[in-house]
């Protein structure tokens, strides 16, 4: 599920924290600000991809989809502009799935 696929993700605030919940695979990240959250999500995805490459496995194959409540949040949220993760080298950025962000 890496190249050529879209990883749908909803961003929302829970208490004092911003949360990013991926839908197609149950991966989440959290941070104190929305800007930090985008970086943290990138780190989580990159870490998973690098570990998968090292082990020779699909980094997302064993993950189930997120629970239904996050899908409902996603479909009622506003689309966000596409963001390129600034800390990624071009070669690694090409390994990431496209991420579709929506925020509540």
């Amino acid at each position: 599920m890496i190249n050529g696929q879209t990883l749908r993700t909803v961003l929302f605030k829970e208490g004092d924290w911003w949360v990013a919940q991926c839908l197609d695979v149950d991966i989440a990240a959290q941070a104190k600000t929305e800007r930090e959250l985008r970086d943290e999500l990138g780190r989580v995805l990159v870490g998973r991809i690098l570990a998968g490459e090292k082990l020779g496995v699909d980094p997302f194959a064993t993950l189930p989809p997120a629970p239904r409540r996050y899908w409902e949040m996603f479909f009622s949220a506003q689309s966000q502009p596409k963001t390129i993760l600034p800390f990624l080298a071009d070669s690694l950025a090409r390994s990431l799935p496209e991420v579709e962000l929506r925020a509540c």
Side-chain angles (χ1 to χ4, degrees):
M1 166 200 191
I2 297 176
N3 288 330
Q5 294 195 10
T6 300
L7 188 59
R8 294 170 284 190
T9 305
V10 64
L11 309 179
F12 59 95
K13 193 138 190 213
E14 192 167 81
D16 292 335
W17 291 89
W18 277 93
V19 178
Q21 174 65 55
C22 300
L23 304 180
D24 304 285
V25 292
D26 194 8
I27 292 176
Q30 66 180 27
K32 284 291 191 175
T33 69
E34 188 176 351
R35 180 182 174 143
E36 291 170 352
L37 179 61
R38 291 168 191 263
D39 289 342
E40 185 61 25
L41 177 61
R43 281 189 283 278
V44 169
L45 293 174
V46 168
R48 188 131 190 126
I49 289 167
L50 291 175
E53 286 178 359
K54 184 171 185 166
L55 297 171
V57 298
D58 178 336
F60 303 111
T62 60
L63 297 174
R68 171 181 235 135
R69 74 182 186 110
Y70 298 111
W71 289 82
E72 292 168 358
M73 289 171 70
F74 177 84
F75 288 114
S76 65
Q78 293 181 348
S79 292
Q80 298 293 298
K82 292 188 182 184
T83 303
I84 295 177
L85 302 172
F87 60 88
L88 295 178
D90 286 342
S91 59
L92 189 53
R94 286 191 294 271
S95 298
L96 284 174
E98 183 175 319
V99 178
E100 179 185 351
L101 298 175
R102 293 191 184 183
C104 295

XYZ file of all heavy atoms in Angstrom:
825
model
N 0.813 -1.180 0.000
C 0.000 0.000 0.000
C 0.864 1.253 0.000
O 0.513 2.217 0.618
C -0.891 -0.031 1.222
C -1.463 1.289 1.423
S -2.060 1.662 2.964
C -2.837 3.119 2.461
N 1.953 1.264 -0.650
C 2.788 2.454 -0.555
C 2.591 3.342 -1.767
O 1.828 4.280 -1.729
C 4.260 2.094 -0.340
C 4.392 1.370 1.002
C 5.125 3.308 -0.338
C 5.744 0.875 1.309
N 3.273 3.073 -2.827
C 3.212 3.953 -3.998
C 1.874 3.866 -4.705
O 1.323 2.798 -4.877
C 4.335 3.621 -4.974
C 5.674 4.077 -4.445
O 5.760 5.044 -3.716
N 6.710 3.360 -4.812
N 1.377 5.018 -5.132
C 0.174 5.042 -5.946
C -1.121 4.941 -5.169
O -2.176 4.913 -5.768
N -1.071 4.876 -3.857
C -2.291 4.793 -3.079
C -2.395 5.995 -2.162
O -1.407 6.632 -1.833
C -2.325 3.499 -2.285
C -2.404 2.294 -3.193
C -2.796 1.046 -2.435
O -3.183 1.103 -1.304
N -2.683 -0.079 -3.094
N -3.603 6.279 -1.749
C -3.859 7.416 -0.886
C -4.185 6.934 0.516
O -4.999 6.034 0.691
C -5.031 8.253 -1.430
O -4.682 8.704 -2.740
C -5.323 9.443 -0.543
N -3.547 7.543 1.491
C -3.785 7.233 2.892
C -4.650 8.359 3.466
O -4.188 9.477 3.676
C -2.445 7.151 3.623
C -2.447 6.658 5.054
C -3.025 5.246 5.145
C -1.037 6.668 5.598
N -5.927 8.072 3.650
C -6.852 9.083 4.165
C -6.618 9.279 5.663
O -6.513 8.306 6.403
C -8.287 8.669 3.883
C -8.570 8.659 2.382
C -9.883 8.041 2.063
N -9.740 6.593 2.183
C -10.668 5.726 1.789
N -11.790 6.147 1.283
N -10.458 4.435 1.903
N -6.574 10.551 6.078
C -6.234 10.884 7.460
C -7.089 12.041 7.944
O -7.241 13.037 7.249
C -4.741 11.276 7.563
O -3.947 10.212 7.027
C -4.329 11.523 8.992
N -7.638 11.902 9.141
C -8.421 12.983 9.742
C -7.608 13.599 10.878
O -6.958 12.899 11.650
C -9.797 12.477 10.244
C -9.688 11.459 11.359
C -10.676 13.641 10.661
N -7.613 14.938 10.921
C -6.945 15.695 11.979
C -8.023 16.293 12.876
O -9.001 16.849 12.382
C -6.113 16.835 11.396
C -5.129 16.513 10.279
C -4.434 17.792 9.828
C -4.121 15.480 10.725
N -7.829 16.192 14.180
C -8.802 16.764 15.104
C -8.134 17.073 16.436
O -7.064 16.565 16.741
C -9.994 15.813 15.305
C -9.623 14.458 15.842
C -9.683 14.182 17.208
C -9.208 13.445 14.987
C -9.341 12.936 17.693
C -8.871 12.191 15.473
C -8.940 11.932 16.831
N -8.778 17.910 17.207
C -8.254 18.291 18.510
C -8.973 17.479 19.575
O -10.196 17.345 19.546
C -8.455 19.786 18.737
C -7.675 20.293 19.901
C -7.042 21.622 19.601
C -6.088 21.937 20.731
N -5.959 23.299 21.032
N -8.190 16.940 20.499
C -8.743 16.174 21.613
C -8.095 16.714 22.892
O -6.913 16.466 23.145
C -8.441 14.690 21.418
C -9.199 13.786 22.338
C -9.115 12.346 21.905
O -8.090 11.702 22.213
O -10.071 11.865 21.250
N -8.850 17.511 23.635
C -8.281 18.194 24.796
C -7.239 19.199 24.329
O -7.508 20.023 23.462
N -6.033 19.113 24.886
C -4.943 20.022 24.509
C -4.108 19.499 23.358
O -3.132 20.132 22.968
C -4.021 20.259 25.715
C -4.703 21.047 26.814
O -5.657 21.795 26.509
O -4.288 20.911 27.983
N -4.450 18.348 22.831
C -3.619 17.682 21.811
C -4.303 17.661 20.457
O -5.517 17.519 20.358
C -3.336 16.237 22.226
C -2.437 16.154 23.408
C -2.815 16.150 24.719
C -1.019 16.073 23.392
N -1.706 16.076 25.525
C -0.587 16.019 24.730
C -0.068 16.040 22.377
C 0.746 15.937 25.079
C 1.260 15.957 22.732
C 1.661 15.908 24.067
N -3.488 17.769 19.401
C -3.943 17.530 18.032
C -3.657 16.064 17.725
O -2.606 15.534 18.102
C -3.197 18.415 17.038
C -3.797 19.773 16.940
C -3.449 20.882 17.645
C -4.871 20.153 16.086
N -4.243 21.937 17.280
C -5.122 21.522 16.329
C -5.652 19.476 15.148
C -6.111 22.222 15.664
C -6.635 20.181 14.473
C -6.860 21.541 14.729
N -4.601 15.412 17.043
C -4.473 13.993 16.701
C -4.640 13.825 15.199
O -5.501 14.451 14.587
C -5.537 13.138 17.441
C -5.435 11.678 17.059
C -5.423 13.332 18.952
N -3.796 12.970 14.610
C -3.948 12.554 13.213
C -4.248 11.070 13.233
O -3.471 10.281 13.770
C -2.672 12.826 12.425
N -5.373 10.685 12.682
C -5.755 9.274 12.636
C -5.889 8.855 11.180
O -6.727 9.385 10.456
C -7.080 9.047 13.371
C -7.631 7.646 13.246
C -6.752 6.600 13.905
O -6.444 6.706 15.079
N -6.344 5.575 13.163
N -5.041 7.942 10.760
C -5.155 7.382 9.404
C -6.331 6.421 9.393
O -6.605 5.755 10.388
C -3.870 6.651 9.021
S -2.410 7.708 9.042
N -7.004 6.337 8.274
C -8.190 5.492 8.178
C -7.917 4.146 7.539
O -8.382 3.117 8.014
C -9.278 6.210 7.377
C -9.684 7.580 7.898
C -10.753 8.170 7.006
C -10.136 7.516 9.329
N -7.190 4.148 6.444
C -6.971 2.921 5.676
C -6.130 1.916 6.452
O -6.259 0.709 6.261
C -6.322 3.262 4.336
C -7.172 4.273 3.577
O -8.214 3.870 3.037
O -6.808 5.462 3.570
N -5.266 2.437 7.309
C -4.497 1.613 8.247
C -4.563 2.318 9.597
O -4.545 3.534 9.668
C -3.028 1.425 7.804
C -2.959 0.567 6.557
C -2.337 2.742 7.574
N -4.691 1.575 10.673
C -4.891 2.147 11.999
C -3.571 2.654 12.576
O -2.926 2.001 13.379
C -5.527 1.111 12.919
C -6.063 1.714 14.200
O -6.080 2.956 14.322
O -6.465 0.948 15.093
N -3.173 3.839 12.100
C -1.969 4.511 12.572
C -2.392 5.897 13.044
O -3.173 6.566 12.372
C -0.924 4.663 11.441
C -0.377 3.299 11.036
C 0.200 5.588 11.860
C 0.579 3.352 9.859
N -1.861 6.307 14.196
C -2.193 7.623 14.721
C -0.932 8.324 15.205
O 0.086 7.684 15.482
C -3.193 7.493 15.869
N -1.026 9.648 15.289
C 0.055 10.469 15.833
C -0.601 11.598 16.606
O -1.758 11.937 16.357
C 0.921 11.030 14.708
N 0.134 12.175 17.548
C -0.398 13.319 18.280
C 0.706 14.315 18.576
O 1.881 13.958 18.627
C -1.098 12.893 19.564
C -0.182 12.285 20.606
C -0.959 11.882 21.856
O -2.154 11.598 21.776
N -0.302 11.858 22.980
N 0.305 15.574 18.747
C 1.250 16.647 19.033
C 0.486 17.817 19.637
O -0.742 17.874 19.574
C 1.970 17.083 17.754
N 1.221 18.769 20.172
C 0.605 19.932 20.823
C 0.054 20.956 19.835
O -0.874 21.691 20.154
C 1.610 20.618 21.756
C 1.820 19.881 23.039
C 0.577 19.967 23.898
C 0.834 19.458 25.303
N -0.321 19.634 26.167
N 0.624 21.038 18.623
C 0.124 21.983 17.628
C -0.169 21.244 16.327
O 0.375 20.157 16.081
C 1.134 23.111 17.327
O 2.258 22.552 16.635
C 1.581 23.823 18.603
N -0.994 21.865 15.494
C -1.323 21.237 14.212
C -0.083 21.125 13.325
O 0.111 20.122 12.645
C -2.419 22.026 13.503
C -2.931 21.323 12.270
C -4.082 22.049 11.605
O -4.622 23.018 12.173
O -4.445 21.636 10.489
N 0.765 22.134 13.356
C 1.994 22.081 12.546
C 2.909 20.940 13.002
O 3.420 20.183 12.192
C 2.720 23.414 12.624
C 3.981 23.413 11.804
C 4.727 24.707 11.907
N 5.986 24.569 11.207
C 6.539 25.507 10.506
N 5.949 26.663 10.396
N 7.676 25.311 9.911
N 3.102 20.806 14.311
C 3.918 19.703 14.845
C 3.287 18.354 14.522
O 3.993 17.366 14.317
C 4.075 19.842 16.361
C 4.928 21.000 16.799
C 4.872 21.240 18.299
O 4.054 20.616 19.004
O 5.657 22.086 18.771
N 1.963 18.330 14.475
C 1.260 17.083 14.180
C 1.598 16.565 12.784
O 1.826 15.376 12.593
C -0.249 17.287 14.313
C -1.104 16.065 14.004
C -0.783 14.924 14.961
C -2.575 16.439 14.091
N 1.644 17.448 11.818
C 1.971 17.025 10.453
C 3.376 16.421 10.400
O 3.610 15.409 9.754
C 1.837 18.200 9.493
C 0.392 18.638 9.316
C 0.282 19.981 8.610
N -1.059 20.496 8.677
C -1.960 20.374 7.713
N -1.661 19.756 6.603
N -3.161 20.885 7.863
N 4.314 17.036 11.134
C 5.675 16.485 11.192
C 5.689 15.135 11.907
O 6.364 14.203 11.487
C 6.624 17.452 11.900
C 6.935 18.686 11.070
O 6.711 18.658 9.846
O 7.400 19.683 11.658
N 4.945 15.039 12.987
C 4.908 13.783 13.755
C 4.290 12.657 12.931
O 4.775 11.526 12.941
C 4.135 13.983 15.063
C 4.154 12.785 15.976
C 5.541 12.372 16.431
O 6.467 13.205 16.473
O 5.712 11.176 16.738
N 3.235 12.957 12.197
C 2.636 11.953 11.320
C 3.658 11.488 10.288
O 3.789 10.288 10.031
C 1.385 12.506 10.630
C 0.709 11.569 9.635
C 0.243 10.281 10.318
C -0.451 12.272 8.955
N 4.387 12.423 9.713
C 5.435 12.065 8.762
C 6.470 11.149 9.386
O 6.873 10.143 8.799
N 6.894 11.466 10.606
C 7.891 10.621 11.295
C 7.361 9.207 11.535
O 8.072 8.225 11.351
C 8.320 11.265 12.608
C 9.335 12.369 12.422
C 9.904 12.829 13.750
N 8.985 13.682 14.492
C 8.833 14.983 14.288
N 9.517 15.593 13.349
N 7.988 15.681 15.013
N 6.096 9.108 11.947
C 5.499 7.791 12.198
C 5.465 6.974 10.900
O 5.844 5.799 10.885
C 4.085 7.935 12.800
C 3.352 6.614 12.813
C 4.163 8.524 14.204
N 5.019 7.589 9.814
C 4.938 6.877 8.540
C 6.318 6.489 8.026
O 6.525 5.351 7.580
C 4.207 7.729 7.503
C 2.725 7.987 7.777
C 2.155 8.959 6.761
C 1.935 6.691 7.814
N 7.274 7.416 8.099
C 8.629 7.128 7.633
C 9.248 6.007 8.467
O 9.866 5.086 7.930
C 9.507 8.401 7.673
C 10.979 8.061 7.488
C 9.049 9.368 6.600
N 9.070 6.065 9.775
C 9.606 5.007 10.636
C 9.053 3.642 10.273
O 9.783 2.649 10.207
N 7.774 3.598 10.012
C 7.134 2.322 9.641
C 7.671 1.828 8.296
O 7.945 0.642 8.118
C 5.630 2.535 9.574
C 4.887 1.265 9.401
C 3.765 1.176 10.392
N 3.272 -0.182 10.308
C 3.148 -0.982 11.331
N 3.440 -0.576 12.532
N 2.712 -2.195 11.184
N 7.820 2.731 7.337
C 8.324 2.354 6.010
C 9.762 1.866 6.102
O 10.117 0.833 5.526
C 8.191 3.529 5.026
C 6.713 3.740 4.693
C 8.991 3.281 3.756
C 6.422 5.040 3.983
N 10.615 2.577 6.848
C 12.015 2.154 6.978
C 12.130 0.801 7.673
O 12.941 -0.044 7.276
C 12.820 3.212 7.727
C 13.028 4.532 6.975
C 13.728 5.551 7.864
C 13.796 4.311 5.688
N 11.324 0.585 8.712
C 11.339 -0.718 9.394
C 10.879 -1.819 8.441
O 11.466 -2.911 8.412
C 10.455 -0.673 10.635
N 9.855 -1.543 7.646
C 9.374 -2.524 6.676
C 10.421 -2.857 5.637
O 10.614 -4.025 5.271
N 11.135 -1.832 5.159
C 12.203 -2.068 4.180
C 13.314 -2.925 4.781
O 13.813 -3.845 4.143
C 12.772 -0.736 3.687
C 11.865 -0.011 2.728
C 12.411 1.337 2.276
O 13.515 1.737 2.735
O 11.746 1.988 1.459
N 13.680 -2.638 6.022
C 14.747 -3.395 6.683
C 14.352 -4.866 6.874
O 15.167 -5.772 6.722
C 15.085 -2.769 8.027
C 16.239 -3.439 8.719
C 16.694 -2.677 9.932
C 17.938 -3.366 10.487
N 18.628 -2.538 11.437
N 13.080 -5.091 7.190
C 12.587 -6.454 7.404
C 12.131 -7.131 6.116
O 11.829 -8.323 6.115
C 11.434 -6.438 8.411
C 11.794 -5.952 9.818
C 10.541 -5.778 10.652
C 12.764 -6.931 10.474
N 12.046 -6.360 5.039
C 11.598 -6.921 3.766
C 10.115 -7.238 3.732
O 9.698 -8.200 3.091
N 9.320 -6.431 4.439
C 7.871 -6.664 4.480
C 7.128 -5.385 4.118
O 7.673 -4.284 4.208
C 7.406 -7.144 5.875
C 8.046 -8.476 6.231
C 7.703 -6.107 6.951
N 5.863 -5.526 3.741
C 4.994 -4.381 3.502
C 4.729 -3.738 4.856
O 4.199 -4.392 5.767
C 3.683 -4.842 2.861
C 2.690 -3.715 2.613
O 2.761 -2.675 3.295
O 1.830 -3.882 1.737
N 5.082 -2.480 5.043
C 4.964 -1.854 6.364
C 3.535 -1.668 6.864
O 3.314 -1.405 8.040
C 5.647 -0.503 6.181
C 5.572 -0.222 4.730
C 5.626 -1.567 4.047
N 2.562 -1.804 5.973
C 1.176 -1.581 6.364
C 0.308 -2.844 6.288
O -0.857 -2.793 6.648
C 0.562 -0.492 5.478
C 1.318 0.805 5.512
C 2.019 1.248 4.410
C 1.337 1.586 6.647
C 2.719 2.445 4.435
C 2.032 2.785 6.693
C 2.724 3.211 5.582
N 0.867 -3.941 5.842
C 0.078 -5.140 5.543
C -0.677 -5.697 6.743
O -1.776 -6.229 6.585
C 0.971 -6.218 4.940
N -0.121 -5.620 7.923
C -0.750 -6.257 9.086
C -1.694 -5.340 9.852
O -2.292 -5.759 10.837
C 0.324 -6.768 10.063
O 1.102 -5.650 10.501
C 1.207 -7.811 9.411
N -1.826 -4.104 9.404
C -2.661 -3.147 10.132
C -4.104 -3.143 9.636
O -4.348 -3.053 8.438
C -2.087 -1.739 9.997
C -0.702 -1.538 10.604
C -0.187 -0.143 10.266
C -0.733 -1.744 12.096
N -5.057 -3.212 10.545
C -6.468 -3.119 10.140
C -6.828 -1.668 9.866
O -6.076 -0.746 10.217
C -7.213 -3.625 11.390
C -6.324 -3.192 12.523
C -4.907 -3.364 11.995
N -7.991 -1.427 9.275
C -8.466 -0.048 9.118
C -8.803 0.541 10.495
O -9.002 -0.185 11.472
C -9.733 -0.182 8.278
C -9.799 -1.587 7.830
C -8.872 -2.389 8.660
N -8.884 1.854 10.551
C -9.251 2.547 11.793
C -10.707 2.252 12.149
O -11.518 1.910 11.280
C -9.055 4.046 11.614
N -11.058 2.424 13.420
C -12.457 2.257 13.829
C -13.394 3.207 13.088
O -13.007 4.291 12.663
C -12.418 2.572 15.333
C -11.022 2.256 15.752
C -10.167 2.652 14.571
N -14.631 2.808 12.976
C -15.658 3.515 12.204
C -15.808 4.988 12.596
O -16.028 5.850 11.737
C -16.997 2.794 12.366
C -18.145 3.559 11.787
C -19.466 2.864 11.962
N -20.026 2.763 10.637
C -20.589 1.697 10.137
N -20.695 0.623 10.841
N -21.048 1.701 8.914
N -15.694 5.328 13.871
C -15.924 6.724 14.290
C -14.976 7.698 13.609
O -15.346 8.830 13.325
C -15.869 6.869 15.798
C -14.501 6.799 16.410
C -14.614 6.899 17.950
N -13.322 6.965 18.567
C -12.835 8.044 19.147
N -13.541 9.162 19.192
N -11.649 8.027 19.700
N -13.757 7.237 13.299
C -12.802 8.114 12.616
C -13.181 8.295 11.152
O -12.961 9.361 10.577
C -11.378 7.580 12.742
C -10.929 7.523 14.177
C -10.731 6.305 14.813
C -10.729 8.691 14.913
C -10.331 6.255 16.140
C -10.335 8.651 16.232
C -10.145 7.429 16.841
O -9.756 7.380 18.161
N -13.760 7.280 10.531
C -14.232 7.401 9.147
C -15.346 8.440 9.084
O -15.392 9.268 8.180
C -14.717 6.051 8.631
C -13.619 5.074 8.386
C -12.999 4.285 9.312
C -12.982 4.799 7.145
N -12.023 3.533 8.712
C -11.997 3.820 7.387
C -13.161 5.279 5.850
C -11.186 3.312 6.377
C -12.360 4.762 4.835
C -11.378 3.790 5.110
N -16.253 8.386 10.047
C -17.353 9.352 10.083
C -16.817 10.770 10.260
O -17.307 11.708 9.619
C -18.328 8.976 11.203
C -19.075 7.683 10.904
C -19.827 7.119 12.098
O -19.763 7.696 13.208
O -20.481 6.068 11.917
N -15.817 10.946 11.122
C -15.193 12.254 11.302
C -14.573 12.737 9.991
O -14.718 13.897 9.614
C -14.106 12.183 12.382
C -14.631 12.013 13.786
S -13.305 11.675 14.981
C -12.475 13.251 15.012
N -13.883 11.836 9.302
C -13.199 12.180 8.055
C -14.182 12.698 7.018
O -13.951 13.727 6.383
C -12.455 10.953 7.523
C -11.769 11.173 6.205
C -10.510 11.751 6.155
C -12.368 10.778 5.023
C -9.865 11.955 4.942
C -11.733 10.969 3.803
C -10.476 11.562 3.764
N -15.282 11.988 6.839
C -16.222 12.364 5.782
C -17.017 13.630 6.110
O -17.596 14.238 5.218
C -17.128 11.195 5.425
C -16.385 10.128 4.663
C -16.184 8.875 5.216
C -15.841 10.389 3.419
C -15.470 7.900 4.527
C -15.124 9.428 2.719
C -14.939 8.183 3.285
N -17.003 14.067 7.365
C -17.667 15.331 7.703
C -16.667 16.475 7.885
O -17.060 17.604 8.154
C -18.512 15.170 8.976
O -17.680 14.912 10.080
N -15.383 16.206 7.709
C -14.326 17.208 7.909
C -14.012 17.962 6.622
O -14.399 17.539 5.533
C -13.069 16.522 8.438
N -13.268 19.062 6.765
C -12.874 19.879 5.614
C -11.536 19.407 5.055
O -10.602 19.125 5.808
C -12.744 21.340 6.021
C -14.056 21.960 6.407
C -13.872 23.427 6.777
O -12.777 23.915 6.957
N -14.992 24.131 6.883
N -11.449 19.360 3.721
C -10.198 18.989 3.062
C -9.119 20.015 3.369
O -9.394 21.202 3.493
C -10.380 18.892 1.548
O -11.199 17.808 1.236
N -7.888 19.546 3.458
C -6.720 20.387 3.722
C -5.836 20.399 2.483
O -5.786 19.420 1.741
C -5.921 19.829 4.900
C -6.699 19.795 6.199
C -7.002 21.190 6.685
O -6.094 21.948 6.970
N -8.276 21.544 6.772
N -5.093 21.479 2.287
C -4.166 21.487 1.146
C -3.106 20.404 1.323
O -2.734 20.071 2.441
C -3.525 22.874 1.202
C -4.091 23.577 2.370
C -5.062 22.687 3.061
N -2.656 19.879 0.204
C -1.604 18.864 0.264
C -0.325 19.507 0.766
O 0.020 20.618 0.380
C -1.395 18.229 -1.099
C -2.586 17.411 -1.479
C -2.366 16.616 -2.698
C -3.673 15.917 -2.951
N -3.798 15.049 -3.937
N 0.353 18.810 1.645
C 1.572 19.315 2.245
C 2.692 18.328 1.980
O 2.516 17.129 2.164
C 1.391 19.467 3.767
O 0.291 20.318 4.018
C 2.631 20.019 4.420
N 3.823 18.845 1.547
C 5.009 18.007 1.406
C 5.745 18.082 2.723
O 5.957 19.163 3.266
C 5.896 18.484 0.250
C 5.127 18.313 -1.052
C 7.227 17.750 0.233
C 5.840 18.792 -2.264
N 6.111 16.938 3.261
C 6.797 16.910 4.537
C 8.208 17.445 4.343
O 9.002 16.863 3.621
C 6.805 15.487 5.098
C 5.395 14.900 5.268
C 5.476 13.433 5.641
C 4.606 15.668 6.297
N 8.558 18.555 4.982
C 9.790 19.273 4.673
C 11.077 18.548 5.016
O 12.100 18.813 4.423
C 9.660 20.553 5.504
C 8.715 20.202 6.590
C 7.778 19.182 6.013
N 11.052 17.607 5.945
C 12.289 16.969 6.372
C 12.651 15.737 5.553
O 13.662 15.093 5.807
C 12.223 16.588 7.856
C 11.106 15.639 8.167
C 11.291 14.264 8.075
C 9.871 16.118 8.539
C 10.259 13.399 8.358
C 8.827 15.247 8.823
C 9.034 13.880 8.736
N 11.853 15.393 4.568
C 12.100 14.174 3.797
C 13.000 14.423 2.600
O 12.813 15.393 1.873
C 10.785 13.590 3.283
C 9.813 13.080 4.331
C 8.555 12.587 3.645
C 10.421 11.995 5.175
N 13.925 13.531 2.394
C 14.707 13.546 1.157
C 13.776 13.123 0.027
O 12.817 12.385 0.242
C 15.876 12.580 1.282
N 14.048 13.585 -1.184
C 13.191 13.253 -2.324
C 13.002 11.757 -2.501
O 11.905 11.290 -2.771
C 13.766 13.841 -3.618
C 13.563 15.343 -3.701
O 12.712 15.869 -2.955
O 14.263 15.977 -4.498
N 14.054 10.969 -2.342
C 13.947 9.528 -2.558
C 13.001 8.889 -1.545
O 12.216 8.022 -1.880
C 15.324 8.861 -2.477
O 15.899 9.102 -1.209
N 13.037 9.346 -0.294
C 12.153 8.794 0.721
C 10.732 9.305 0.537
O 9.774 8.565 0.726
C 12.670 9.127 2.115
C 11.955 8.441 3.278
C 11.914 6.940 3.071
C 12.625 8.775 4.573
N 10.593 10.553 0.153
C 9.259 11.117 -0.068
C 8.516 10.334 -1.146
O 7.311 10.150 -1.064
C 9.361 12.584 -0.446
N 9.234 9.844 -2.139
C 8.587 9.053 -3.198
C 8.111 7.702 -2.679
O 7.285 7.064 -3.298
C 9.548 8.870 -4.369
C 9.713 10.131 -5.196
C 10.452 9.842 -6.492
N 11.825 9.429 -6.261
C 12.865 10.238 -6.166
N 12.686 11.529 -6.280
N 14.079 9.767 -5.965
N 8.633 7.230 -1.546
C 8.230 5.952 -0.966
C 6.937 6.049 -0.167
O 6.320 5.038 0.124
C 9.326 5.416 -0.035
O 10.503 5.175 -0.741
N 6.561 7.269 0.205
C 5.364 7.445 1.014
C 4.104 7.379 0.165
O 4.100 7.824 -0.980
C 5.391 8.808 1.704
C 6.302 8.962 2.894
C 6.313 10.414 3.344
C 5.891 8.064 4.033
N 3.021 6.863 0.747
C 1.749 6.972 0.040
C 1.318 8.428 0.043
O 1.762 9.215 0.881
C 0.804 6.119 0.903
C 1.428 6.073 2.243
C 2.900 6.204 2.034
N 0.477 8.799 -0.881
C -0.094 10.151 -0.854
C -1.010 10.217 0.372
O -1.721 9.267 0.679
C -0.901 10.407 -2.118
C -1.466 11.802 -2.184
C -2.150 12.071 -3.505
O -1.633 11.650 -4.546
O -3.216 12.707 -3.462
N -0.959 11.330 1.088
C -1.769 11.485 2.288
C -2.834 12.545 2.036
O -2.522 13.678 1.686
C -0.898 11.882 3.508
C -1.768 12.086 4.743
C 0.170 10.828 3.767
N -4.088 12.152 2.159
C -5.218 13.088 2.034
C -5.638 13.494 3.430
O -6.086 12.655 4.215
C -6.388 12.433 1.306
C -7.588 13.351 1.184
C -8.808 12.677 0.576
O -8.712 11.552 0.081
O -9.879 13.321 0.614
N -5.476 14.770 3.764
C -5.809 15.265 5.100
C -7.145 15.985 5.098
O -7.442 16.756 4.181
C -4.738 16.245 5.583
C -3.322 15.720 5.749
C -2.392 16.865 6.110
C -3.265 14.633 6.805
N -7.912 15.748 6.133
C -9.132 16.525 6.395
C -9.133 16.862 7.868
O -8.744 16.051 8.696
C -10.391 15.724 6.061
C -10.527 15.452 4.572
C -11.884 14.917 4.261
N -11.986 14.567 2.862
C -13.097 14.116 2.293
N -14.185 13.950 3.023
N -13.114 13.818 1.025
N -9.549 18.075 8.208
C -9.521 18.530 9.592
C -10.918 18.862 10.084
O -11.723 19.434 9.363
C -8.616 19.742 9.735
N -11.174 18.495 11.334
C -12.441 18.825 11.998
C -12.293 20.122 12.755
O -11.256 20.476 13.214
C -12.809 17.743 12.995
S -13.161 16.142 12.260
